[in-house]
C-alpha cells in the first residue's frame, strides 16, 4: 500500500483513490465538452465546424496512435512520472482552450499535446492503481475509477452544455485545468511502481504502430478536409499494420524485445473481444460527432439544449451498464454482447427515418434510449470478456492493447462519420442547386460553390443574414436546399454506427461459439472502458 496501515493510512488511501477517479473523470469528460460546444467554439473563434470536428478526431487519433508507446515510456521513465506528464499534457490542452484565439492553438495544444497526455496517462494510471493498492482495496479503486469514467460519459454533455450556455465554453475548460491542479496537488500520495521487465526498446515496432493507426485515421481526416494524398496515407497505414504484425511475430520468435506480445492474439476470446471493443467505439464516435452537429447546426440548439437532447443516449448507457454489471446473473456474456449490438443497430436504424422530420430533440429520444441501452450492455461485458483469458502478469499489456483498439475505434468513428457527412453535404448542395428551377445556370454554380464552402457550417438563421439583399425567391430556394440536404447528410453519417453495429452482431454470433470467460480478480476493470 502507498500509505501506512491504520486509520491514517486508510484516510490517505481514500484520498488517493478519489484523486485518481478525478483524473479519469477529466480524461473522459474532455471530449464531451468539445462535442456540445462546437457551435460556440466556431462562433467565438471564427473557424469552421469541419475544423473543430477534425480537432476532436485528431485528439482521439493521437491518443490511439501513441498509447502503446506511452505504456513503454511509462515503463522506462517511471509510471509516476508518466502520470504527471500525462496530467500536465491534459492541463496544457485545457489552458489552451481557455485562452485560444484560433483553431491552430486548439489543434497543437488540445488535440496533439492533450492526446499525447492521454496516451501517457491511461496506462500509467492503471499501473499505479495496481501498485498502490492490493486485495479488496485494489478492486474497489478499479471500480471507483471505472465508475468515474461512466459518470463522466453520462453527465459530460449536460455539464458541458450548462456551462457553455450560461457561462462560456472557456470556463468549462478552465475548471478542467483546476481539477487537474487539485489532482497534481496530491501527487505526494502516489508511490511509484518500478518496472522489472526488459528495458530494451522496440523502436521499429513503436514507429510502425504509430504509422498504422495514425495513417488510416489521418487519411480520413485529410479526405474530410478535401486535401490530397488521401490514398497514400491510407495505404501507408494499411501497409504499416501488416508490417507491424510480421515484425512482432519475427521479433518474438527471435526472443528479442517487442512493443507488444503477439501471443496475446492466440486467444480467440481476446481477438474477438478486442475487435468488438473497437466496433463499439466506432459506433459511439460516429454518433457523438454527427448528433451534436445536427442538434446545433440544423435544429439551432444551444449547448445546453444539445446536451439535454443527448442525455437519453448517455444516461441510458450509464444506467444499463450499471444494472447489467450487477445483475447479469447466469446470462452468457456473449448473449449480452449480441443483444447490445442488436439494440445499437435498432436504435440507429430507427433514427434514420426520424431525422428528416425531427423538429426538436424529443423526436430522437426513444431511438437514443434504445441505442444507449445497447452500448450500456457492451460496456458492462466487453472489458472482462476480453481480458479474462489473460494471465495476471500480462493483464497490463493486454489492457493497453484493448485501450488502443478502443481509442483507434473512437478516432476512426469520429473522422469517418464526419467525413461522410461533409461529403454528402457537398454532393447534395451541388445536385440540388443544379436541379433548381428557380436559379439560373450562373447562380446555380455560384450557390453550389458557396454552399459547399460555407453554408454547410451555418444555421438557416445565419444563412438568411448572409442572403440579405438577394431576391426573395432566391433566398427561399437557397434556404430550402440547405434545409433539405443537411438531414440527409446526417442520415449518411448515421449509417456508420448502424453498419458497425450489424458487424458487431455478426461477431457476436462468433462469440457464442466460444466458451464463457472465467472470472478474473481485476482484469475486467483494468481497461477502464
Amino acid at each position: 500500500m502507498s500509505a501506512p496501515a491504520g486509520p491514517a493510512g486508510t484516510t490517505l488511501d481514500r484520498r488517493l483513490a478519489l484523486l485518481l477517479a478525478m483524473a479519469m473523470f477529466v480524461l473522459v469528460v474532455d471530449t464531451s465538452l468539445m462535442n456540445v460546444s462546437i457551435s460556440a467554439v466556431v462562433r467565438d473563434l471564427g473557424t469552421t465546424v469541419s475544423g473543430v470536428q477534425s480537432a476532436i478526431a485528431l485528439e482521439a487519433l493521437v491518443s490511439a496512435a501513441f498509447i502503446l508507446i506511452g505504456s513503454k515510456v511509462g515503463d522506462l521513465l517511471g509510471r509516476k512520472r508518466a502520470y504527471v506528464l500525462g496530467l500536465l499534457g491534459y492541463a496544457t490542452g485545457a489552458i489552451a482552450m481557455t485562452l485560444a484565439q484560433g483553431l491552430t492553438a486548439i489543434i497543437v495544444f488540445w488535440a496533439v499535446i492533450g492526446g499525447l497526455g492521454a496516451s501517457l496517462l491511461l496506462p500509467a494510471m492503471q499501473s499505479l492503481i495496481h501498485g498502490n493498492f492490493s486485495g479488496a482495496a485494489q478492486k474497489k479503486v478499479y471500480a471507483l475509477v471505472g465508475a468515474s469514467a461512466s459518470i463522466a460519459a453520462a453527465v459530460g454533455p449536460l455539464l458541458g452544455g450548462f456551462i457553455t450556455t450560461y457561462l462560456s465554453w472557456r470556463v468549462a475548460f478552465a475548471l478542467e485545468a483546476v481539477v487537474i491542479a487539485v489532482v497534481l496537488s496530491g501527487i505526494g500520495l502516489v508511490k511509484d511502481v518500478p518496472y522489472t521487465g526488459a528495458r530494451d526498446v522496440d523502436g521499429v515496432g513503436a514507429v510502425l504502430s504509430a504509422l498504422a493507426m495514425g495513417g488510416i485515421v489521418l487519411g480520413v481526416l485529410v479526405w474530410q478536409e478535401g486535401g490530397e494524398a488521401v490514398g497514400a496515407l491510407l495505404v501507408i497505414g494499411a501497409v504499416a499494420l501488416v508490417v507491424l504484425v510480421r515484425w512482432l511475430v519475427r521479433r518474438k520468435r527471435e526472443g528479442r524485445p517487442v512493443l507488444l506480445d503477439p501471443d496475446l492474439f492466440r486467444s480467440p476470446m481476446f481477438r474477438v473481444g478486442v475487435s468488438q471493443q473497437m466496433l463499439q467505439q466506432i459506433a459511439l464516435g460516429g454518433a457523438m460527432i454527427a448528433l451534436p452537429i445536427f442538434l446545433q447546426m440544423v435544429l439551432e440548439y444551444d449547448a445546453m439544449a444539445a446536451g439535454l437532447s443527448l442525455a437519453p443516449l448517455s444516461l441510458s448507457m450509464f444506467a444499463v451498464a450499471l444494472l447489467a454489471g450487477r445483475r447479469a446473473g447466469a446470462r452468457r456474456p456473449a448473449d449480452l454482447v449480441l443483444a447490445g449490438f442488436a439494440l445499437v443497430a435498432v436504435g440507429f436504424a430507427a433514427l434514420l427515418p426520424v431525422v428528416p422530420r425531427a423538429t426538436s430533440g424529443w423526436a430522437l429520444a426513444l431511438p437514443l434510449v434504445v441505442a444507449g441501452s445497447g452500448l450500456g450492455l457492451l460496456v458492462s461485458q466487453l472489458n472482462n470478456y476480453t481480458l479474462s483469458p489473460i494471465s495476471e502478469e500480462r493483464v497490463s499489456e493486454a489492457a493497453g492493447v484493448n485501450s488502443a483498439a478502443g481509442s483507434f475505434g473512437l478516432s476512426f468513428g469520429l473522422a469517418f462519420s464526419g467525413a461522410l457527412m461533409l461529403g454528402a453535404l457537398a454532393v447534395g448542395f451541388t445536385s440540388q442547386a443544379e436541379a433548381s428551377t428557380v436559379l439560373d445556370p450562373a447562380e446555380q454554380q455560384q450557390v453550389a460553390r458557396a454552399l459547399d464552402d460555407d453554408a454547410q457550417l451555418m444555421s438557416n438563421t445565419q444563412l438568411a443574414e448572409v442572403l440579405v439583399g438577394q431576391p426573395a425567391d432566391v433566398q427561399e430556394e437557397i434556404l430550402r436546399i440547405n434545409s433539405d440536404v443537411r438531414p440527409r447528410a446526417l442520415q449518411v453519417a448515421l449509417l456508420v454506427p448502424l453498419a458497425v453495429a450489424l458487424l458487431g452482431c455478426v461477431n457476436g454470433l462468433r462469440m457464442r461459439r466460444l466458451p464463457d470467460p472465467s472470472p478474473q480478480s481485476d482484469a475486467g476493470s483494468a481497461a477502464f472502458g
Side-chain angles (χ1 to χ4, degrees), residues 498-513:
L498 173 59
V500 165
L502 293 175
L503 286 175
C505 290
V506 173
N507 230 10
L509 295 174
R510 289 178 54 208
M511 291 177 68
R512 296 185 78 242
R513 294 196 291 268

Side-chain angles (χ1 to χ4, degrees), residues 72-138:
K72 190 62 178 178
V73 169
D75 291 343
L76 299 177
L77 295 182
R79 275 67 178 268
K80 182 175 179 178
R81 189 173 297 170
Y83 176 70
V84 172
L85 289 174
L87 287 170
L88 290 175
Y90 247 73
T92 299
I95 293 171
M97 290 298 297
T98 306
L99 304 175
Q101 299 301 310
L103 185 62
T104 301
I106 294 177
I107 291 174
V108 173
F109 294 103
W110 183 79
V112 176
I113 295 180
L116 289 173
S119 71
L120 288 170
L121 187 58
L122 273 171
M125 185 184 300
Q126 178 180 287
S127 297
L128 289 175
I129 292 175
H130 195 80
N132 282 263
F133 300 90
S134 61
Q138 186 182 93

Side-chain angles (χ1 to χ4, degrees), residues 234-255:
L234 294 175
V235 169
I236 288 172
V239 170
L241 182 61
V242 173
V243 174
L244 174 64
V245 172
R246 294 184 176 179
W247 171 263
L248 294 176
V249 170
R250 192 183 76 181
R251 294 269 294 189
K252 175 72 174 179
R253 188 184 303 124
E254 294 172 352

Side-chain angles (χ1 to χ4, degrees), residues 25 29 32-33 35-37 151-166 172 288 302-316:
F25 184 90
V29 83
S32 293
L33 294 179
N35 283 333
V36 298
S37 303
I151 292 170
V155 306
L158 294 172
L159 182 64
F162 178 84
I163 295 174
T164 298
T165 300
Y166 298 109
M288 295 311 292
D302 60 24
M304 185 64 197
L308 286 171
S309 298
L310 292 174
L313 179 72
S314 56
L315 294 178
S316 60

Side-chain angles (χ1 to χ4, degrees), residues 220-415:
V220 177
L221 286 174
V222 171
W223 170 44
Q224 172 182 305
E225 291 298 308
E228 299 178 355
V230 173
L233 287 169
L234 294 175
V235 169
I236 288 172
V239 170
L241 182 61
V242 173
V243 174
L244 174 64
V245 172
R246 294 184 176 179
W247 171 263
L248 294 176
V249 170
R250 192 183 76 181
R251 294 269 294 189
K252 175 72 174 179
R253 188 184 303 124
E254 294 172 352
R256 302 168 70 186
V258 290
L259 180 68
L260 63 93
D261 189 348
D263 287 347
L264 288 171
F265 293 92
R266 291 186 181 275
S267 167
M269 291 173 62
F270 182 76
R271 289 199 305 270
V272 74
V274 165
S275 65
Q276 294 289 66
Q277 182 80 277
M278 183 172 64
L279 291 175
Q280 172 207 344
Q281 292 296 319
I282 292 175
L284 183 60
M288 295 311 292
I289 198 64
L291 291 173
I293 289 176
F294 172 74
L295 292 166
Q296 294 173 75
M297 306 309 293
V298 177
L299 297 186
E300 302 190 34
Y301 278 3
D302 60 24
M304 185 64 197
L308 286 171
S309 298
L310 292 174
L313 179 72
S314 56
L315 294 178
S316 60
M317 179 178 170
F318 172 66
V320 172
L322 189 64
L323 186 65
R326 291 180 176 180
R327 299 189 178 183
R331 295 178 181 85
R332 295 189 64 199
D335 290 340
L336 293 176
V337 170
L338 179 58
F341 275 113
L343 286 174
V344 173
V346 169
F348 286 113
L351 277 176
L352 293 178
V354 170
V355 163
R357 301 170 179 83
T359 57
S360 77
W362 287 108
L364 312 180
L366 184 57
L368 290 181
V369 167
V370 174
S373 298
L375 290 169
L377 284 177
L378 298 177
V379 168
S380 73
Q381 302 298 315
L382 279 179
N383 286 325
N384 183 65
Y385 183 94
T386 304
L387 301 178
S388 61
I390 308 301
S391 60
E392 186 171 348
E393 61 269 18
R394 301 175 69 192
V395 161
S396 178
E397 183 179 13
V401 175
N402 194 38
S403 295
S407 296
F408 172 78
L410 183 65
S411 62
F412 183 83
L414 288 165

